[in-house]
Amino acid sequence: MVEPLHPLLRDEVVRYGELVAACYRALDLDPASKRYLNCKHGKRQMLPAVGMASAGYTVTKYIYAAPDVALPFGVGACSCAAKSRWIGYVAVASSREARRLGRRDILVSFRGTVTGSEWLANFMSALEPARFDPADPRPDVRVESGFLSLYTSDDLSGKFTCGSSRNQLLSEVTRLISKYKHDDVSITLAGHSMGSSLAILLGNDLAELGLNRDARGGAVPITVFSFAGPRVGNLEFKNRCDELGVKVLRVANARDPVTKMPGVVFNEGARFLGGRFEMPWSKACYTHVGVEVALDFFKASDVACVHDLDAYINHLLRGCRREDEDDGGASGGGAAASSSTMESWRWQMAAIRAGELLQALGF
């Protein structure tokens, strides 16, 4: 169903891509706002406010995170680095959507990198043990330290919540599994860029701790939709995800540099010499998780499009159309903004990312 991508699967991938894009559209980008870099809307209004009232999901919880990063050049904690920021939401399928899917789907959706502290976390490329299960720490299962920090770091001073994103997520997902214990339940985790890394970490964590169990003791299936995601961990981490049954569908543009990081040099292709002899650094090599849906698009007039989520969704919607055809309905699903609005949003996001990074670096 992946090569070529089956139309039914394409529709589902696009649908989850739109539910991730909702994070960006709901993000408050006004520096003067009290909700700056948090969600502009209440949980009940969020999806309708971004044009997705018919998505079939009800938002149950917002998720916040603040990575514990050491700022360079001796700079102390700054406002962009110290505070928790909104990174996504948890939602559950409505009864109507559950009938369509044949299951009660629990969705967790994550946005990508926005703040300076998140940018710094992305550059923390050292591998360290995940150790999600204290009873079975598995020190050989290693993940990128920056992503792990964003997932596990506590912020007790957060305006909207406290505690790590990990604790927020594990608590809410297990609550929903218990609430819908009489239904067939599934867990779908979706994210863009850095958010896809958090989705994979959460999937591994839930399965490692055995929290994806229904009232009958059966395993609740975990599926991850990764859009423009970087590598998360080493081969042992990949193998452990496979062993635990965490299914990952990785949508990747061949021209997107983020999908080749970390591990630009030391990756799955550098583990063996001549395909036979394992190299000494093999355990330090990053490896992608899951099955890849390969895309290939690039516009010379807009280099940023190679990593843009809407561009990913547009390319999926186009299917086999020629690359030079009109993009038409940019994001589909009733959630598309006008091209002028999206262009304005893209420039705003670029300016905020640059400003937050410079602030974090002390410039």
Side-chain angles (χ1 to χ4, degrees), residues 264-286:
V264 176
V265 177
F266 294 101
N267 54 50
E268 53 269 79
R271 294 183 59 248
F272 292 92
L273 180 62
R276 297 173 56 189
F277 302 104
E278 188 169 5
M279 305 304 289
W281 54 75
S282 62
K283 291 187 181 298
C285 289
Y286 277 92

Side-chain angles (χ1 to χ4, degrees), residues 19-202:
L19 287 164
V20 174
C23 292
Y24 291 110
R25 293 171 185 142
L27 191 64
D28 194 333
L29 300 177
D30 180 5
S33 171
K34 293 181 179 180
R35 287 182 172 266
Y36 177 50
L37 295 181
N38 288 297
C39 187
K40 293 184 287 189
H41 315 288
K43 293 191 290 292
R44 290 185 180 181
Q45 295 80 32
M46 195 208 86
L47 290 176
V50 298
M52 299 192 68
S54 61
Y57 284 84
T58 300
V59 177
T60 65
K61 188 175 181 63
Y62 283 164
I63 305 300
Y64 300 83
D68 182 15
V69 296
L71 301 180
F73 312 124
V75 179
C78 67
S79 59
C80 70
K83 295 180 181 178
S84 286
R85 299 298 189 187
W86 184 68
I87 61 168
Y89 62 92
V90 183
V92 65
S94 65
S95 295
R96 180 178 179 179
E97 182 68 6
R99 287 192 295 271
R100 186 188 75 84
L101 294 171
R103 63 191 187 278
R104 182 76 66 172
D105 191 38
I106 298 169
L107 168 70
V108 184
S109 180
F110 297 97
R111 64 164 173 79
T113 308
V114 173
T115 71
S117 56
E118 291 164 4
W119 276 108
L120 293 175
N122 290 346
F123 288 112
M124 295 168 60
S125 59
L127 284 163
E128 67 175 77
R131 301 184 187 276
F132 289 142
D133 184 358
D136 188 10
R138 296 180 179 268
D140 287 340
V141 176
R142 296 171 176 266
V143 297
E144 200 242 34
S145 60
F147 300 146
L148 185 63
S149 171
L150 187 67
Y151 182 60
T152 60
S153 294
D154 288 327
D155 176 20
L156 301 179
S157 63
K159 179 178 180 180
F160 298 105
T161 189
C162 64
S164 68
S165 61
R166 181 195 186 201
N167 290 342
Q168 298 166 47
L169 288 161
L170 296 183
S171 174
E172 182 64 5
V173 172
T174 53
R175 184 188 73 83
L176 291 172
I177 291 175
S178 176
K179 179 177 179 179
Y180 297 101
K181 60 185 177 182
H182 299 301
D183 295 358
D184 289 329
V185 177
S186 62
I187 299 171
T188 303
L189 316 174
H192 172 244
S193 192
M194 175 195 73
S196 72
S197 303
L198 296 176
I200 293 173
L201 286 176
L202 174 59

Side-chain angles (χ1 to χ4, degrees), residues 294-315:
L295 306 179
D296 190 352
F297 60 88
F298 173 74
K299 296 179 182 177
S301 61
D302 187 1
V303 177
C305 83
V306 297
H307 188 62
D308 185 80
L309 178 57
D310 278 283
Y312 268 74
I313 295 172
N314 294 346
H315 194 78

Side-chain angles (χ1 to χ4, degrees), residues 242-261:
D242 293 342
E243 183 182 345
L244 292 168
V246 179
K247 305 298 183 184
V248 179
L249 189 67
R250 193 168 57 82
V251 185
N253 177 12
R255 301 174 188 265
D256 185 350
V258 173
T259 64
K260 298 172 175 59
M261 296 167 28

